[in-house]
Amino acid sequence: MKRYSAFAVAREAFRNHLGWDRAWRAARPKDRYDVVIVGAGGHGLATAYYLGRNFGITNVAVLEKGWLGGGNTGRNTTIIRSNYLQDASAAIYEKSRSLYESLSQDINYNVMFSPRGVMMLAQTQHEIRGYERTAHANALQGVETRFIGPREVKQLCPIINLDGPRYPVLGALWQPRGGTARHDAVAWGYARACSDMGMDIIQQCEVTGVRSSGGQVTGVDTTKGSIACSKLGLVVAGHSGVLADMAGFRLPVESVALQALVSEPIKPCMDVVVMANTVHGYMSQSDKGEMVIGGGADGYNNYTQRGSFQHIEETVRALVETFPMISRLKMLRQWGGIVDMTGDRSPILSATPLSGCFINCGWGTGGFKAIPGSGWGMAELMAKGHSPLTAEFGLTRFAEGRFIDESVAAGVAH
Amino acid sequence: MLILTCPCCGVTGEETEFHGGGEAHLTRYGPGSTDEEFQAYLFRRENPKGVHFERWRHVNGCGKWFHAARCTVTLEVFGTYPAQTLRPPEDLLERIREKRPGWRWKDLS
């Protein structure tokens, strides 16, 4: 792999950019791998990357039924934060956020991590108390957050309307080192780094069955033939239930559509991420100038990768209340992704009833921010059988009642 | 947008008139059940990519609960039926089998 650098850009500028390599090889599947990862989204590729980087396991294939990063990795609103209430969540999300800080250098690929700051607005007395509690919890967990008043909110985000028609802005939970990153670049960068370590990334290769013998996984059947493996990682977000069905177990997961939209590009007007959970909408501005808007999930099981119209209306109405200047903006695109929601709104990183088969799912509406940390923990889990990052996110917690209850802690949008 | 017909009051309305209530026909385990059984009742879901039986409530209407059979891939609604039943009506199952040859769900072949 040729390293990307300022020097490389200058060199290529003098020879019509003919010297760039493919970022990753178009691999054909071999008969056998040590580890097969299903799903070449951010989480799957990060798992493969840290298996190689931290544990030297490089005989790895990453299988993808569509195209690389074409699922939720390419469909989210790119927000990165770690201001969670529960210790287990804060640990894995903060690990993830801190890995994002140096990810571009680590994988030699510019993921455009922008720690511009994330604020979650408090618009009721209940929310003030909730976020003050989170700020105190974060102080104990070593996550830098602070509760700020309305004046500071207005200073950080001048386009905000503090006296909205329904809910005034009473303050906010502010995480200065939260922000955004370029979502496609995260998938592409990990894929390039994995390919460089000799791993095979196989696109348009759908898994159609899981092979096992005596309760031990032995391989997968795919549309490109059978592939044997001794360890299997299922990292497929919305389709986790379908893969778990093939592997012979059931998950505490339901798949629903979550949608987002972007406006036409406008001049820079907002250099922080604002989440308004009471009115339910969140917004940031991309480097191209588009306002990136996220809203709510549909209230029923859905595999269609599009959302219902009334949710767009609700989201946009909430944001026009909060940012009156966007009322005349035209929306350019709208899309949906299938998110896997668990009962306690926390992810599952776990061994499964099928020996050698591991699952990483249940990130629900907030998976992008967790990509590096999730990959780090999942790789350790798959290589060593246990990981301090994933210990509390086991599948058995739903039978044992050890929930990591972020649904009560965070309420809505992650 | 989903169009559902409430079997209680007969009104056909858009999905904003209703509220989804999750998977239908779950076995409700009571006192004396094992942790596994409670887990199955509270958290484990079919989550099928295809035919799904679910509960809905006509919140902005008669307020009654009912059942619906719907495809989670095409969003086609196969039909709705009253809440007071442990399994879907046979004519609805037949209609689904016609449209989705080879389809099976739980013990309903």
Side-chain angles (χ1 to χ4, degrees):
Chain A
M1 176 177 85
K2 287 181 189 158
R3 280 186 64 78
Y4 292 158
S5 64
F7 172 72
V9 172
R11 184 190 63 213
E12 293 304 323
F14 284 106
R15 49 179 189 182
N16 297 320
H17 292 280
L18 294 172
W20 298 114
D21 294 331
R22 290 181 73 108
W24 58 86
R25 287 174 295 112
R28 300 176 68 82
K30 292 190 280 188
D31 292 340
R32 181 174 177 85
Y33 294 91
D34 291 341
V35 175
V36 166
I37 305 285
V38 185
H43 290 261
L45 291 164
T47 302
Y49 173 71
Y50 292 112
L51 273 173
R53 178 185 182 269
N54 295 352
F55 301 98
I57 301 169
T58 56
N59 186 15
V60 175
V62 187
L63 311 181
E64 169 58 46
K65 75 169 175 179
W67 66 96
L68 192 147
N72 295 348
T73 303
R75 292 165 187 270
N76 58 77
T77 50
T78 78
I79 296 167
I80 295 163
R81 61 183 181 87
S82 58
N83 50 355
Y84 282 74
L85 180 65
Q86 311 292 347
D87 288 348
S89 316
I92 195 163
Y93 286 108
E94 177 59 15
K95 173 73 184 173
S96 196
R97 198 206 56 77
S98 65
L99 285 169
Y100 265 122
E101 296 252 8
S102 55
L103 189 60
S104 296
Q105 289 74 31
D106 190 18
I107 60 178
N108 182 231
Y109 200 102
N110 187 3
V111 301
M112 298 164 76
F113 176 59
S114 160
R116 58 185 65 186
V118 174
M119 66 168 78
M120 295 167 78
L121 300 183
Q123 295 182 284
T124 62
Q125 290 297 326
H126 175 79
E127 263 187 316
I128 293 179
R129 283 193 288 272
Y131 287 145
E132 282 179 342
R133 181 184 176 205
T134 304
H136 293 147
N138 289 163
L140 294 171
Q141 291 151 347
V143 178
E144 187 196 351
T145 62
R146 187 154 65 79
F147 189 83
I148 58 175
R151 185 177 298 174
E152 202 171 343
V153 170
K154 187 76 178 171
Q155 270 170 3
L156 287 162
C157 183
I159 67 168
I160 209 164
N161 178 20
L162 294 180
D163 308 307
R166 288 193 295 169
Y167 295 99
V169 174
L170 304 171
L173 182 66
W174 171 241
Q175 182 170 26
R177 295 301 289 179
T180 60
R182 173 91 172 96
H183 51 1
D184 294 321
V186 173
W188 297 337
Y190 275 126
R192 176 167 168 267
C194 287
S195 186
D196 183 49
M197 287 190 281
M199 298 178 182
D200 287 346
I201 294 152
I202 303 156
Q203 301 181 76
Q204 283 156 9
C205 177
E206 182 171 356
V207 171
T208 54
V210 174
R211 292 183 171 218
S212 63
S213 154
Q216 168 74 38
V217 71
T218 57
V220 288
D221 295 323
T222 75
T223 50
K224 292 191 173 180
S226 292
I227 302 171
C229 67
S230 30
K231 280 182 184 171
L232 176 66
L234 307 177
V235 196
V236 294
H239 281 71
S240 293
V242 178
L243 267 291
D245 192 44
M246 291 178 197
F249 56 93
R250 195 180 292 175
L251 291 170
V253 162
E254 290 191 280
S255 300
V256 297
L258 176 71
Q259 59 186 324
L261 54 158
V262 295
S263 74
E264 58 189 325
I266 55 173
K267 290 198 170 174
C269 63
M270 179 182 179
D271 60 359
V272 293
V273 180
V274 176
M275 314 184 74
N277 287 339
T278 291
V279 293
H280 208 163
Y282 47 98
M283 190 167 85
S284 60
Q285 188 167 23
S286 75
D287 292 340
K288 281 185 287 184
E290 300 158 330
M291 305 311 286
V292 184
I293 292 171
D298 285 353
Y300 48 82
N301 291 39
N302 192 343
Y303 281 87
T304 61
Q305 291 192 322
R306 58 174 192 263
S308 49
F309 184 73
Q310 78 267 17
H311 274 110
I312 304 178
E313 197 180 354
E314 278 171 25
T315 302
V316 170
R317 187 171 58 211
L319 289 172
V320 169
E321 275 177 30
T322 317
F323 308 98
M325 65 158 274
I326 69 163
S327 66
R328 296 302 174 94
L329 271 188
K330 292 180 181 69
M331 292 300 146
L332 276 192
R333 296 189 300 281
Q334 174 270 353
W335 65 92
I338 304 304
V339 298
D340 38 343
M341 309 292 277
T342 59
D344 62 358
R345 299 295 182 264
S346 286
I348 296 166
L349 295 103
S350 179
T352 68
L354 182 62
S355 180
C357 175
F358 297 82
I359 193 154
N360 180 351
C361 70
W363 291 97
T365 60
F368 174 73
K369 68 173 87 71
I371 284 173
S374 155
W376 185 285
M378 182 72 175
E380 189 171 20
L381 177 67
M382 290 187 74
K384 290 163 60 179
H386 57 87
S387 161
L389 273 185
T390 68
E392 294 186 49
F393 293 102
L395 199 46
T396 54
R397 73 174 188 269
F398 294 94
E400 293 161 359
R402 291 183 294 102
F403 309 117
I404 304 162
D405 202 347
E406 291 293 347
S407 61
V408 173
V412 277
H414 276 223
Chain B
M1 184 170 277
L2 297 178
I3 310 280
L4 298 168
T5 301
C6 173
C8 299
C9 63
V11 166
T12 298
E14 296 178 347
E15 67 182 75
T16 46
E17 198 165 314
F18 302 91
H19 192 265
E23 186 179 323
H25 306 302
L26 295 170
T27 307
R28 287 162 178 264
Y29 290 97
S33 304
T34 64
D35 289 352
E36 269 303 313
E37 287 168 338
F38 271 122
Q39 177 187 218
Y41 165 40
L42 292 170
F43 297 110
R44 290 256 170 93
R45 295 294 178 261
E46 287 277 328
N47 195 26
K49 189 177 181 180
V51 182
H52 191 231
F53 292 89
E54 53 199 13
R55 302 169 74 233
W56 283 83
R57 187 171 168 241
H58 194 182
V59 279
N60 296 316
C62 69
K64 296 286 197 293
W65 284 95
F66 62 93
H67 285 137
R70 187 175 61 86
C71 178
T72 59
V73 179
T74 62
L75 301 190
E76 177 181 6
V77 178
F78 299 110
T80 55
Y81 53 101
Q84 296 76 16
T85 176
L86 291 176
R87 56 177 286 150
E90 203 49 46
D91 60 322
L92 176 62
L93 292 173
E94 196 48 51
R95 214 157 53 235
I96 296 169
R97 282 187 214 110
E98 251 170 50
K99 289 184 172 172
R100 301 280 185 278
W103 165 80
R104 284 172 64 91
W105 173 74
K106 284 187 179 172
D107 54 338
L108 311 164
S109 59

